[in-house]
Amino acid sequence: MTPDDYVDGVLAGDRAMLARTITLIESVQKDIDPKAREVLSRLLPHTGQAQRVGITGVPGVGKSTLIETLGTQLIEDGHRVAVLAVDPSSSVSGGSILGDKSRMPTLSNNPEAFIRPSPNALTPGGVGRRTREIQLLCEAAGYDIVLVETVGVGQSEIMVAEMVDSFVALMLPGAGDELQGIKKGVLELADVIVVNKADGDTRARAHSAKREYDAALRYLRHRTANWKPQVQVISALTGAGIRELWQQIEKHFQFLKESGELEERRKWQRQRWMWSLIEERLVETFREHPDVRSRLPAVEEGVLEGKVPATQAVQDLLEAYSKRREESSRDEH
Ligand code: GDP
């Protein structure tokens, strides 16, 4: 297939072609290959119009139930919805707890929805590596709402917060003392906080959790000045509160637009995207460098044994790395 085939297919909103283009971007071993790069460059002007929403929460909190209900509602309102996952568990266990289509049976059968399971552990470079690119591909294919799901583990939450407009933290109903254990970090990252399972036996506890979060938020400074995160109480199972939740997400999106913060946030995110690729590529070329490779086992052993400080090890390896590079660039001239 030629770049034209991919570009035309994605722009036509063809789901099969979108999936193949994602595979092209994901499957490249090291750097994105020239064909994939060309496809991305040509599609970039057709991106940016979507609303990007991140959803985080511990396993079992109700993320897939919420996405199933919310996604279906949004499609009824005329939207097209893409669902992506950044699943840190897949790199640890090889198994994935997110993005499995069977978790969202109605949505995954809806022709206006596109669900991309988390890539498996064998994806080079690990979890979430290509999610930014995939998000752009979905936008070029006409999905105007992109939901990026992750689980409550530090690094992946930050990664997702760095690629969306609004970041939603889903919480379990709990008694006050359970809230003590909640990381402050996620409350600071979240633009909207949601307590789920406000139904049946857990209804009262969900409302008392809301009061606790309201109180906790008074002492936290949000990363966006002038935005006060609200705590919403919902039942993803019955659908109660989901419309209000979306209104809140919309309100945040409007706030970002009107204050100019949306463009600022996205600018910064594009910069982060570039730097994360630079870091990734540099670490790769460093590890593959023949002198680094030959020295690495002994140097690493010294560090492991506590005989060589990491500061010295890094110095030695970087010298080996830059020396050979200088020699080869001299040879070239
Ligand atoms: P995820 O791991 O965060 O995706 O959580 P799931 O959506 O798979 O939900 C985990 C369990 O909680 C499932 O048994 C759901 O049926 C249940 N659940 C999800 N949302 C609600 C809710 O609003 N109320 C109640 N009572 N159960 C819920």
Side-chain angles (χ1 to χ4, degrees):
M1 282 211 291
T2 66
D4 280 344
D5 297 332
Y6 287 109
V7 170
D8 295 345
V10 169
L11 289 179
D14 178 333
R15 279 151 51 111
M17 281 306 298
L18 173 60
R20 289 175 80 162
T21 312
I22 292 175
T23 305
L24 171 76
I25 302 251
E26 273 181 346
S27 63
V28 197
Q29 276 305 315
K30 267 193 274 161
D31 179 31
I32 294 191
D33 81 3
K35 200 200 278 182
R37 275 207 305 268
E38 181 185 338
V39 170
L40 263 178
S41 301
R42 287 173 54 186
L43 289 175
L44 192 68
H46 303 275
T47 66
Q49 75 293 355
Q51 191 172 348
R52 305 163 178 171
V53 180
I55 298 177
T56 187
V58 295
V61 69
K63 293 180 296 301
S64 52
T65 312
L66 171 64
I67 292 170
E68 169 99 337
T69 313
L70 177 64
T72 307
Q73 269 184 22
L74 290 170
I75 288 169
E76 280 166 11
D77 293 346
H79 295 286
R80 295 182 70 210
V81 178
V83 181
L84 312 177
V86 173
D87 186 351
S89 63
S90 63
S91 71
V92 179
S93 61
S96 174
I97 53 173
L98 298 178
D100 177 357
K101 293 190 184 180
S102 66
R103 293 166 67 238
M104 304 160 193
T106 312
L107 201 57
S108 57
N109 284 318
N110 193 315
E112 300 304 323
F114 180 82
I115 301 183
R116 184 71 185 180
S118 198
N120 68 28
L122 298 176
T123 307
V127 169
R129 185 180 180 183
R130 297 281 170 246
T131 311
R132 279 189 180 85
E133 288 84 342
I134 297 170
Q135 179 171 275
L136 295 175
L137 294 177
C138 290
E139 294 183 8
Y143 292 92
D144 63 332
I145 294 179
V146 182
L147 305 176
V148 188
E149 180 190 18
T150 191
V151 289
V153 175
Q155 214 36 51
S156 69
E157 272 177 348
I158 291 170
M159 188 188 261
V160 173
E162 280 181 359
M163 61 176 99
V164 296
D165 305 318
S166 304
F167 192 61
V168 178
L170 209 51
M171 304 291 191
L172 286 166
D177 42 334
E178 285 167 49
L179 296 186
Q180 306 285 325
I182 299 287
K183 293 160 294 160
K184 226 174 89 197
V186 69
L187 291 185
E188 284 171 341
L189 279 179
D191 302 302
V192 179
I193 291 149
V194 187
V195 184
N196 189 30
K197 308 202 182 184
D199 52 48
D201 292 348
T202 44
R203 192 162 189 277
R205 279 204 283 146
H207 284 275
S208 75
K210 172 183 159 53
R211 286 190 293 275
E212 299 278 341
Y213 286 118
D214 281 334
L217 284 172
R218 260 178 246 137
Y219 300 100
L220 290 177
R221 199 172 34 198
H222 191 257
R223 61 183 169 143
T224 312
N226 300 327
W227 175 255
K228 277 244 145 284
Q230 298 291 310
V231 185
Q232 306 285 126
V233 176
I234 66 161
S235 167
L237 205 58
T238 68
I242 297 211
R243 288 242 169 244
E244 292 78 2
L245 167 60
W246 186 253
Q247 280 165 10
Q248 191 60 30
I249 295 170
E250 275 278 309
K251 196 172 152 194
H252 179 248
F253 193 60
Q254 288 307 325
F255 164 83
L256 290 178
K257 272 191 186 164
E258 284 159 18
S259 62
E261 186 71 31
L262 184 69
E263 193 40 37
E264 283 308 306
R265 203 178 258 214
R266 287 187 171 187
K267 264 187 184 164
W268 177 80
Q269 291 175 344
R270 289 193 288 267
Q271 190 183 28
R272 282 291 308 143
W273 180 30
M274 182 181 88
W275 276 102
S276 72
L277 291 176
I278 291 175
E279 284 160 18
E280 187 184 289
R281 286 284 296 280
L282 278 180
V283 170
E284 255 163 24
T285 49
F286 178 76
R287 282 183 175 278
E288 282 162 7
H289 189 282
D291 290 355
V292 171
R293 274 172 68 164
S294 64
R295 280 172 208 217
L296 198 56
V299 173
E300 210 165 23
E301 180 70 16
V303 172
L304 280 174
E305 299 287 318
K307 290 179 183 149
V308 181
T311 42
Q312 188 59 45
V314 169
Q315 186 63 27
D316 294 347
L317 291 171
L318 279 174
E319 264 167 29
Y321 177 70
S322 48
K323 206 163 141 221
R324 174 73 79 94
R325 289 183 73 82
E326 278 162 22
E327 279 163 10
S328 64
S329 70
R330 255 205 314 277
D331 292 348
E332 278 164 19
H333 290 114

